[in-house]
Amino acid sequence: MTLQPPTPFPGRLPEQVAFHRTELGPILSVYGRMVAAGEWRDYAISSLREMAIFSVFRRTAETPLYRIEKRPKLRHRQGQFSVIGPEGQVLRRGDDLRQVLKVFEARRFRVIE
């Protein structure tokens, strides 16, 4: 009888970046306000290796209207939170999520068709 060395576990899976419960609260608050106004109808949350994305849709089958991204690697540079517009432009960026989400305030933000 020969003893075989134990088979090692595969390498540790890469950690994923996700939104914390305290971060989802303000995001869902803005989302609820915009749904009540009839502007947004659906959302999706993606947890990737380097970032977490909260995508907002007007209709389910479309590309996202806006993306709220969390990139922890940018924490010490431009800020880990950003709001990305429909054309890929950065609308606002910073470390304080509530300040970044102010881009969606009613008097400053209006969807134009």
Side-chain angles (χ1 to χ4, degrees):
M1 180 162 148
T2 61
L3 293 174
Q4 295 181 357
T7 53
F9 288 110
R12 187 175 174 172
L13 296 174
E15 294 185 23
Q16 293 181 343
V17 177
F19 288 105
H20 190 267
R21 182 180 299 175
T22 58
E23 297 164 348
L24 279 176
I27 293 172
L28 291 174
S29 175
V30 169
Y31 175 77
R33 190 167 21 107
M34 297 302 278
V35 166
E39 300 294 332
W40 298 347
R41 294 203 178 141
D42 200 9
Y43 72 91
I45 299 176
S46 303
S47 295
L48 305 173
R49 186 173 181 198
E50 295 183 5
M51 67 178 153
I53 305 171
F54 186 95
S55 302
V56 177
F57 299 88
R58 182 177 303 232
R59 292 179 194 87
T60 305
E62 292 183 351
T63 58
L65 283 177
Y66 299 97
R67 294 186 327 255
I68 301 166
E69 295 183 354
K70 176 183 178 182
R71 294 177 184 249
K73 286 188 176 182
L74 296 178
R75 181 177 339 156
H76 299 297
R77 293 187 188 124
Q78 302 140 341
Q80 66 178 342
F81 298 106
S82 59
V83 175
I84 312 295
E87 302 295 323
Q89 68 273 28
V90 177
L91 300 178
R92 194 149 188 184
R93 179 178 282 160
D95 273 325
D96 185 11
L97 181 60
R98 292 187 190 275
Q99 293 296 321
V100 171
L101 293 176
K102 284 189 176 182
V103 73
F104 296 117
E105 284 184 2
R107 65 180 181 271
R108 296 174 58 193
F109 175 78
R110 199 174 46 184
V111 175
I112 301 173
E113 299 211 19

